[in-house]
Amino acid sequence: GSSRVDPQEQKARDADARRILEAELRREETRLQQALQDSRQPLSAEKASEARAAVARVQGDIQAIQRELNRLR
C-alpha cells in the first residue's frame, strides 16, 4: 500500500527541495551570464556555434528548474 507522509514532514521536504532548486537556479543564471558573454566574443564559426548551443542548453536548464519550482508552489 501507499504510506502517507506526515504533512509537516512533507512541508519540510518541499522547503528543502525549494531551497536546493533556488540555489541551482542562481548557479545556472550565473552560467547563463557567462555563456552570453562568451557568445559575444569574436569567435570562429565553430566556436560561435558551440557558444550558442551552450546558451541554449543553460536556458533549457533554467526553464526546467523554474518548472520544478512552480510544481512545488
Side-chain angles (χ1 to χ4, degrees), residues 3 6 9-11 13 17 21 25-27 29 34 38 41 43 46 48 50-51 53 55 57 60 64 67-69:
S3 59
D6 175 65
E9 175 68 21
Q10 187 61 51
K11 200 174 210 175
R13 288 181 188 180
L21 286 167
L25 181 59
R26 285 189 299 276
R27 276 193 307 273
E29 287 170 339
Q34 185 61 53
D38 291 348
Q41 301 301 315
L43 301 168
E46 181 180 341
E50 289 173 10
V55 167
R57 211 172 20 257
R67 280 192 302 274
E68 208 45 42
L69 280 167

Side-chain angles (χ1 to χ4, degrees), residues 2-5 9 22-23 26 33 65 69 72:
S2 66
S3 59
R4 298 278 302 155
V5 175
E9 175 68 21
E22 287 168 348
R26 285 189 299 276
Q33 291 308 312
I65 294 167
L69 280 167
L72 290 173

Side-chain angles (χ1 to χ4, degrees), residues 10-61:
Q10 187 61 51
K11 200 174 210 175
R13 288 181 188 180
D14 290 348
D16 288 345
R18 192 174 303 107
R19 208 168 22 258
I20 290 166
L21 286 167
E22 287 168 348
E24 200 172 321
L25 181 59
R26 285 189 299 276
R27 276 193 307 273
E28 291 301 316
E29 287 170 339
T30 300
R31 281 185 55 214
L32 177 59
Q33 291 308 312
Q34 185 61 53
L36 286 168
Q37 285 177 353
D38 291 348
S39 72
R40 291 187 191 114
Q41 301 301 315
L43 301 168
S44 67
E46 181 180 341
K47 291 288 185 189
S49 177
E50 289 173 10
R52 283 191 301 275
V55 167
R57 211 172 20 257
V58 175
Q59 287 172 328
D61 292 346

